[in-house]
Amino acid sequence: RVQSHDEQLPDIHIPIHVGRLLYLLAKIQTPRQILEIGTLGGYSTAWLAQALPVNGRLISLEINPEHAAKARHHLATLQDQNIEIREGHAVDLLAQLAAKQEGPFDVIFIDADKENNALYFDWSLRLS
């Protein structure tokens, strides 16, 4: 929380116990590909990435370029992980993922603007 406050990120990131639960749920799935919708500072991204095998991949979607840059900075210590943060509107980015057939994703974590959750869920079903 101190880091989010110090970096002027909204105090809306998941708490540590939810991060641990995300890791456990993802690990149980033995994912090869993870999709995250909503990156913020990369806290949940880091938890999810730990569940990936060496050849796994995580794509995280973030609308705010400043948040994406801070997340990239935070995630730089996880150099051995294949993490990609894509910037833009999630619905557009999800359509691009589908068009390029970048799925299927084994785990999809939706944690973005709540008013578009139904759209994110529909795309998640297509990409899973």
Side-chain angles (χ1 to χ4, degrees):
R1 293 186 183 273
V2 173
Q3 184 170 309
S4 293
H5 178 72
D6 292 348
E7 293 189 6
Q8 298 177 344
L9 286 169
D11 191 17
I12 56 173
H13 62 80
I14 61 167
I16 190 169
H17 65 278
V18 174
R20 289 179 177 158
L21 178 61
L22 274 178
Y23 163 76
L24 178 64
L25 292 172
K27 190 71 172 177
I28 289 169
Q29 293 298 315
T30 58
R32 291 177 47 220
Q33 292 199 105
I34 296 176
L35 175 62
E36 177 183 45
I37 304 170
T39 312
L40 192 60
Y43 186 69
S44 56
T45 313
W47 279 106
L48 289 166
Q50 292 178 63
L52 288 169
V54 175
N55 61 345
R57 167 172 103 142
L58 188 152
I59 296 175
S60 187
L61 311 179
E62 176 57 50
I63 193 169
N64 186 313
E66 291 176 14
H67 295 171
K70 289 176 183 179
R72 284 188 190 97
H73 174 74
H74 296 153
L75 297 167
T77 59
L78 300 175
Q79 297 171 15
D80 58 332
Q81 299 292 339
N82 188 1
I83 300 171
E84 180 183 354
I85 298 173
R86 298 186 185 181
E87 295 177 32
H89 292 277
V91 173
D92 297 335
L93 296 173
L94 291 164
Q96 290 172 16
L97 286 167
K100 294 178 183 177
Q101 297 181 342
E102 293 192 62
F105 292 92
D106 306 300
V107 173
I108 301 174
F109 178 52
I110 301 172
D111 191 24
D113 59 309
K114 305 310 178 211
E115 52 274 353
N116 286 309
N117 271 353
L119 288 171
Y120 301 151
F121 183 75
D122 286 343
W123 278 110
S124 295
L125 289 176
R126 296 180 201 177
L127 292 165
S128 64

